[in-house]
Amino acid sequence: MVREGMNRFGRIDILVNTVGGFRAGAPLHETTPETWEFMLNLNAKTIFYSCRAVIPYMLANGYGKIVNVSARAAT
């Protein structure tokens, strides 16, 4: 994704991460580790990897903004 953006536009000025997948179900103390891992992978891990991929280009360019948007359930 980042490589394609760089090839097409020559720079990346902004990254907007819109996440918010949610697997409703059991209360926290009854949530399985598999469900917890799914939620972390779907939400936190995708933000981590997206930011990690674009930040070097933003630093090299001397400019960049990152906006992370979460689902209402995250609040």
Side-chain angles (χ1 to χ4, degrees):
M1 166 189 77
V2 174
R3 194 170 316 137
E4 178 64 27
M6 289 299 295
N7 289 340
R8 191 168 191 185
F9 303 108
R11 59 189 286 158
I12 296 174
D13 294 322
I14 188 165
L15 168 67
V16 178
N17 286 307
T18 307
V19 298
F22 184 69
R23 184 176 281 176
L28 181 64
H29 66 284
E30 296 173 1
T31 300
T32 66
E34 293 78 20
T35 298
W36 179 246
E37 289 296 322
F38 171 81
M39 296 297 292
L40 285 175
N41 287 336
L42 180 64
N43 295 294
K45 205 173 198 181
T46 55
I47 288 176
F48 170 77
Y49 282 118
S50 298
C51 291
R52 189 171 185 270
V54 300
I55 287 172
Y57 294 102
M58 290 177 171
L59 288 172
N61 191 41
Y63 179 84
K65 300 288 182 183
I66 296 174
V67 178
N68 295 315
V69 181
S70 68
R72 184 174 181 190
T75 60

